[in-house]
Amino acid sequence: MDPTVLRMKEYKQHGTTTTYEHCVSVARVSYKLDRMLHADCDREALLKGAMLHDLYLYDWHDAKSHKRLHGFHHADSALRNATEYFDISPKEKDIIYSHMWPLNLTRIPKRREAWVVCMADKYVSLRETLHRKG
Ligand SMILES: [Fe+2]
Ligand SMILES: [Fe+2]
């Protein structure tokens, strides 16, 4: 696995779940949703976008680690890092950019891959929050 992606193991997402584990779960659920819905997604973009959607690389619980409201702005940090460290396609950009819809109300997903990851992220986040141990 890429060392930049592995850096997500250093940060907690919800409860005791690391951001890395969260992204792996979102990739798994995205794959399942794609099959279940017969959405015919571009699988490479779907999985790469899902793995990179939260590549913001800071501890969001620590207010000093980031300047603005995490919920609204972490997709921009993730997109900046993904663009810096990887060669990402317009589809993958859209996945990262719009994954926080509807919190970011104007960032409506444009492609099927972005819709699937957006929904998978909501489901996985709810599951992690309900089953949190930490
Ligand atoms: Fe996110
Ligand atoms: Fe997420």
Side-chain angles (χ1 to χ4, degrees):
M1 187 60 80
D2 183 274
T4 306
V5 169
L6 291 177
R7 280 179 60 195
M8 290 193 285
K9 287 188 176 190
E10 296 167 28
Y11 305 110
K12 292 278 187 283
Q13 190 76 1
H14 304 112
T16 52
T17 308
T18 66
T19 306
Y20 175 83
E21 289 166 330
H22 169 77
C23 289
V24 170
S25 296
V26 171
R28 272 208 190 105
V29 171
S30 296
Y31 178 80
K32 283 184 190 163
L33 262 183
D34 178 37
R35 290 192 62 174
M36 220 163 75
L37 299 170
H38 304 285
D40 198 25
C41 285
D42 170 345
R43 286 271 166 83
E44 191 187 328
L46 184 74
L47 298 178
K48 194 168 159 187
M51 276 312 296
L52 300 179
H53 83 280
D54 274 332
L55 191 74
Y56 48 82
L57 302 177
Y58 58 77
D59 176 10
W60 69 267
H61 306 81
D62 177 4
K64 292 192 289 294
S65 70
H66 54 287
K67 289 196 183 84
R68 303 179 296 174
L69 277 177
H70 173 74
F72 289 98
H73 298 289
H74 74 275
D76 291 330
S77 306
L79 188 56
R80 207 178 314 114
N81 290 332
T83 308
E84 187 181 334
Y85 295 108
F86 301 95
D87 187 17
I88 58 167
S89 69
K91 265 183 207 168
E92 290 148 9
K93 274 187 190 162
D94 189 35
I95 290 171
I96 300 168
Y97 179 78
S98 60
H99 85 269
M100 286 306 288
W101 183 85
L103 185 65
N104 289 135
L105 202 55
T106 57
R107 296 189 182 192
I108 302 166
K110 290 191 188 73
R111 296 169 171 89
R112 56 187 61 227
E113 292 79 8
W115 276 113
V116 168
V117 172
C118 183
M119 294 304 137
D121 185 45
K122 304 290 174 292
Y123 168 75
V124 169
S125 298
L126 178 64
R127 195 174 66 183
E128 287 167 356
T129 302
L130 294 177
H131 297 281
R132 61 196 295 163
K133 292 175 195 85

